[in-house]
Amino acid sequence: MILNDGSLWQTLVLNELEIPSVIVPQRGTVSASAVELSLILSGADIYLAGIDLSVSGIRTHARPYGFDYLFYGAANRVRPLYSQYFSRAWDTTGGGSLDVYAAWFRDRLKSWPKRIFSLDKKNTVFAPAPAEVKGGLREKFLTEETLTGNSACYPERALAVLFRALDTPDLAGTLSKELGALLFPGDPCPGVEEIKRELANCAKCPEDKNREQRFF
């Protein structure tokens, strides 16, 4: 199962490839996506660990943190690791992003089921976990899903459905905005042909140098 943020291009591709997915919109933080996915997958209580929405010293995230390797790789004698952590913690605190996330969660908790708890007693957003822990996943998400078709053809099929959509007037506008922002972040309005060409380049395999020619 794959996360689908609800965008047109992801929905088109996943439907074309018949890949099971669950819609979880982008929220600006993966913590929000994790909680929303848990609400979909689980019918029981949800317990959060490592989501305190605060900075601890110079630590902004629970360990292990996916971006730690970037700090390790960039560390040197004039910009040591701890200096990088300090700068990030300072920017995070000063930028107010954690306060924004906390406010968003507080607002959502008003409408979410009352089954989300924090294992961190210092958490000021989520209710503390009760002494008795309850579990249980919804069984329908525990069944094994077998993908149909030849996965080697997925890139070509994905390109084909996107190209057809880009040639469809009712879809082209929305799709161009979504894909243009991903493929050309510095260009506010790339053309359809530019988007097609870049998509083809992204999907090229080393052994298939002529893929782009087959779509134009």
Side-chain angles (χ1 to χ4, degrees), residues 1 8 22 29 31 42-43 46 65 74 123 133-134 146 148 180 207:
M1 184 175 59
L8 177 59
V22 58
T29 170
S31 297
S42 173
I46 297 169
Y65 177 38
N123 196 303
V133 176
K134 301 176 182 179
T146 302
T148 60
E207 67 276 8

Side-chain angles (χ1 to χ4, degrees), residues 39-96:
L39 287 170
I40 295 171
L41 296 182
S42 173
D45 291 344
I46 297 169
Y47 300 93
L48 307 179
I51 305 180
D52 59 3
L53 302 173
S54 64
V55 174
S56 177
I58 59 174
R59 294 289 193 180
T60 58
H61 291 75
R63 306 268 80 76
Y65 177 38
F67 286 166
D68 275 342
Y69 76 97
L70 295 177
F71 297 127
Y72 296 148
N76 55 51
R77 63 187 181 86
V78 296
R79 195 165 183 262
L81 183 63
Y82 282 98
S83 293
Q84 295 183 63
Y85 280 134
F86 176 84
S87 296
R88 181 172 179 81
W90 180 270
D91 292 341
T92 299
T93 303

Side-chain angles (χ1 to χ4, degrees), residues 2 7 20 28 92 105 109 118-119 124 145 150-151 156-157 165 167 181 185-186 192 194-195:
I2 290 180
S7 59
T92 299
F105 274 116
L109 285 170
S118 173
L119 297 177
T124 60
E145 295 281 356
N150 181 6
S151 60
E156 193 163 318
R157 290 173 58 191
D167 290 332
V192 169
E194 288 182 280
I195 293 174

Side-chain angles (χ1 to χ4, degrees), residues 161 166 181:
V161 71
L166 285 168

Side-chain angles (χ1 to χ4, degrees), residues 5-13 162 165 170-172 174-175 178:
D5 67 11
S7 59
L8 177 59
W9 78 270
Q10 288 189 18
T11 302
L12 287 171
V13 169
L162 290 177
D170 292 342
L171 303 177
T174 299
L175 202 55
E178 292 179 354

Side-chain angles (χ1 to χ4, degrees), residues 12-18 148-164 211 215:
L12 287 171
V13 169
L14 292 172
N15 287 343
E16 170 67 20
L17 302 182
E18 301 180 77
T148 60
N150 181 6
S151 60
C153 299
Y154 280 0
E156 193 163 318
R157 290 173 58 191
L159 280 179
V161 71
L162 290 177
F163 284 5
R164 289 197 301 270
R211 180 186 299 275
F215 287 97

